[in-house]
Amino acid sequence: AQSVTQLGSHVSVSEGALVLLRCNYSSSVPPYLFWYVQYPNQGLQLLLKYTTGATLVKGINGFEAEFKKSETSFHLTKPSAHMSDAAEYFCAVSASNSGNTPLVFGKGTRLSVIA
Amino acid sequence: DTGVSQDPRHKITKRGQNVTFRCDPISEHNRLYWYRQTLGQGPEFLTYFQNEAQLEKSRLLSDRFSAERPKGSFSTLEIQRTEQGDSAMYLCASSFTRDRRNEQFFGPGTRLTVL
């Protein structure tokens, strides 16, 4: 069965500092991995995804993530935090090797950005 | 894309009442998913459809919950005899299996409060 662990329920960074949100996964099939962002009282917006191929994936708003099979990790990074990045971030793994099957989400990490 | 829409956005009901939510997926998306998100948690899968066929139901989906997608377009999620534990955000997502995007697009959610 698939599972996701997000280390740190709350991360606080200064504006302009590096953002690092951690995600480790467990999957019985080659994983499809996703990062979503959620602003208050809104749905989820896809930041980036890993399916196959290049292990470093770039997404929207300057975010990127690296798939490391040996570490079963898919950490999200951004070189310089902006106030608008403050939100809840969710890592997810697909139930099969497709993005068109149910997703298993982590519990989320709330990112605060301090001016 | 006009996006996934959900109605209503908010619903307050008394314990024991029945409620129904509607989801309109992105046009031509053949898969539709329902997730539930409680406070401080990541979304949890409830059920999903391909066209009008319900492919899978989570064990989270008790007998009081029923979902349908009668014509393969919009979907409804009904909760009978609501309980306070049903209070949550109900998220709908859709995807298209015939492209290579492997992405689920989420709606804004319906927030249910059971008093």
Side-chain angles (χ1 to χ4, degrees):
Chain A
Q2 278 68 12
S3 67
V4 171
T5 301
Q6 291 185 241
L7 296 175
S9 59
H10 185 207
V11 171
S12 184
V13 301
S14 299
E15 191 175 19
L18 171 72
V19 175
L20 171 61
L21 304 182
R22 299 178 186 274
C23 172
N24 288 89
Y25 70 90
S26 172
S27 178
S28 55
V29 297
Y32 278 32
L33 295 159
F34 306 83
W35 275 100
Y36 282 87
V37 62
Q38 186 177 36
Y39 297 98
N41 297 313
Q42 295 187 25
L44 279 69
Q45 180 183 10
L46 182 67
L47 280 177
L48 49 77
K49 64 185 177 187
Y50 169 79
T51 55
T52 59
T55 56
L56 182 63
V57 292
K58 297 185 184 298
I60 61 172
N61 302 337
F63 285 93
E64 62 182 38
E66 186 171 11
F67 169 63
K68 292 187 177 181
K69 183 178 179 181
S70 62
E71 298 177 8
T72 61
S73 69
F74 190 56
H75 301 331
L76 182 71
T77 60
K78 181 174 181 178
S80 176
H82 191 273
M83 296 297 289
S84 62
D85 295 327
E88 189 88 19
Y89 292 80
F90 293 96
C91 181
V93 63
S94 178
S96 71
N97 54 351
S98 163
N100 295 306
T101 54
L103 299 178
V104 176
F105 286 86
K107 292 187 175 182
T109 297
R110 180 172 301 279
L111 176 66
S112 297
V113 181
I114 303 168
Chain B
D1 290 339
T2 56
V4 178
S5 61
Q6 293 186 244
D7 184 69
R9 292 292 306 276
H10 303 274
K11 178 71 177 180
I12 300 174
T13 191
K14 294 181 179 179
R15 188 179 55 178
Q17 298 295 304
N18 300 342
V19 294
T20 300
F21 309 140
R22 176 179 170 125
C23 171
D24 286 88
I26 293 172
S27 178
E28 296 184 345
H29 277 196
N30 54 348
R31 287 204 174 172
L32 185 148
Y33 313 77
W34 285 100
Y35 294 86
R36 180 172 68 186
Q37 184 179 20
T38 54
L39 202 61
Q41 300 295 316
E44 296 174 296
F45 165 71
L46 293 178
T47 187
Y48 79 120
F49 295 83
Q50 173 149 320
N51 301 316
E52 64 275 8
Q54 190 170 22
L55 297 183
E56 184 179 345
K57 292 191 294 185
S58 163
R59 283 172 291 179
L60 290 176
L61 212 64
S62 77
D63 292 344
R64 297 184 296 106
F65 288 69
S66 62
E68 59 179 23
R69 194 183 182 197
K71 298 182 179 180
S73 57
F74 73 91
S75 175
T76 58
L77 177 68
E78 181 183 15
I79 309 175
Q80 296 183 326
R81 305 181 303 283
T82 53
E83 301 173 355
Q84 288 185 327
D86 297 331
S87 295
M89 175 80 89
Y90 290 84
L91 294 166
C92 176
S94 68
S95 71
F96 186 49
T97 57
R98 298 193 197 98
D99 68 18
R100 297 181 180 179
R101 298 177 73 172
N102 280 286
E103 293 178 18
Q104 295 180 27
F105 294 82
F106 282 79
T110 294
R111 181 169 296 283
L112 173 66
T113 301
V114 181
L115 302 177

